[in-house]
Amino acid sequence: MIEKSLVIIKPDGVERGLIGEILRRFENAGLKIIGMKMVWVDRKFAEEHYKAHRKKPFFRELVEFITEGPVVAFVAEGVHAVGNVRRLVGSTSPHEASPGTIRGDFAHMSMAYASKKGLGGKNLIHASGNKAEADAEVKLWFRKEEMHSYSTVHEKHVF
Ligand code: ATP
Ligand code: MG
């Protein structure tokens, strides 16, 4: 039941100075950050990360968006981490994301608007969609040595 999920603070989140605010939400929920780095990914890496979307009409825009600036990638570990991270992040389209979620609190545009403008949907965060996606994404973004095993005070009370 203890899972790892890959989270990426996308270029819009980094440029808006939301790194601390976003990390705080995961830490507050007791999720453990076991690896983290700032990277400016190239087109090839972005295409690999988003390969499931290769056939989508917004694929080119998506790759352009994720490579337009540095991102902060981290691995969050915890009980049902994949689902719990998605709940904290909110729906894909910020326009539909509930208040209280990261996308609902810090963005409001819709994917329809992004598509109309020919832009990738700026929704601040990427989070693994399911356990299989999480396992593949953690492997793609982090080497074993870049992830760490340690105890947090939360483990006594939250895990
Ligand atoms: P992510 O995978 O980034 O966590 P998600 O799982 O909520 O987001 P996906 O369906 O996997 O959503 O879409 C991947 C990303 O593609 C979205 O986060 C968004 O940035 C972008 N996207 C999705 N739909 C559209 C669209 N119609 N127009 C433009 N961009 C889109
Ligand atoms: Mg997804």
Side-chain angles (χ1 to χ4, degrees), residues 10 53 58 62 86 92 103 111 115 119 121 123 125-127:
K10 295 179 178 180
H53 299 294
F58 54 84
L62 189 54
R86 296 284 290 191
T92 304
R103 286 167 175 166
M111 289 300 147
S115 291
L119 298 169
N123 55 3
I125 299 246
H126 163 84

Side-chain angles (χ1 to χ4, degrees), residues 44 47-48 50-57 59:
K44 194 164 163 260
E47 285 175 358
E48 176 63 24
Y50 277 131
K51 64 174 184 258
H53 299 294
R54 204 161 262 162
K55 299 260 149 61
K56 304 261 173 76
F59 182 66

Side-chain angles (χ1 to χ4, degrees), residues 11 14 16 22 28 52 60 64 66 71 73 75 77 79 87 92-94 97 106 116 121 134 141 144 158:
V14 172
R16 289 178 58 187
I22 289 170
N28 281 356
R60 197 173 56 87
E64 253 156 42
I66 200 81
V71 302
V75 180
E77 185 179 77
V79 180
R87 285 187 316 116
T92 304
S93 187
F106 295 102
K116 196 167 163 225
W141 285 76
K144 269 211 167 74
V158 184

Side-chain angles (χ1 to χ4, degrees), residues 151-158:
S151 299
T152 64
V153 291
H154 287 299
E155 280 169 57
K156 186 172 170 196
H157 301 291
V158 184

Side-chain angles (χ1 to χ4, degrees), residues 6-149:
L6 179 85
V7 186
I8 304 167
I9 305 176
K10 295 179 178 180
D12 54 335
V14 172
E15 287 174 24
R16 289 178 58 187
L18 291 172
I19 298 170
E21 174 65 37
I22 289 170
L23 280 170
R24 187 181 64 81
R25 294 187 172 221
F26 295 106
E27 288 188 318
N28 281 356
L31 285 150
K32 193 202 274 193
I33 312 295
I34 61 163
M36 179 159 66
K37 58 187 167 188
M38 178 178 264
V39 270
W40 194 327
V41 297
D42 61 17
R43 175 168 292 272
K44 194 164 163 260
F45 189 90
E47 285 175 358
E48 176 63 24
H49 170 73
Y50 277 131
K51 64 174 184 258
H53 299 294
R54 204 161 262 162
K55 299 260 149 61
K56 304 261 173 76
F58 54 84
F59 182 66
R60 197 173 56 87
E61 292 86 338
L62 189 54
V63 169
E64 253 156 42
F65 165 42
I66 200 81
T67 55
E68 77 183 24
V71 302
V72 171
F74 60 92
V75 180
E77 185 179 77
V79 180
H80 305 300
V82 175
N84 275 319
V85 164
R86 296 284 290 191
R87 285 187 316 116
L88 292 168
V89 168
S91 304
T92 304
S93 187
H95 157 69
E96 280 150 27
S98 302
T101 65
I102 295 166
R103 286 167 175 166
D105 282 350
F106 295 102
H108 71 271
M109 68 89 210
S110 68
M111 289 300 147
Y113 176 82
S115 291
K116 196 167 163 225
K117 289 274 191 183
L119 298 169
K122 300 207 172 191
N123 55 3
L124 299 164
I125 299 246
H126 163 84
S128 303
N130 54 54
K131 179 74 169 56
E133 214 176 277
D135 292 345
E137 290 177 355
V138 167
K139 210 167 154 202
L140 175 67
W141 285 76
F142 285 84
R143 286 181 283 119
K144 269 211 167 74
E145 317 82 81
E146 293 176 311
M147 289 184 282
H148 306 283
S149 180

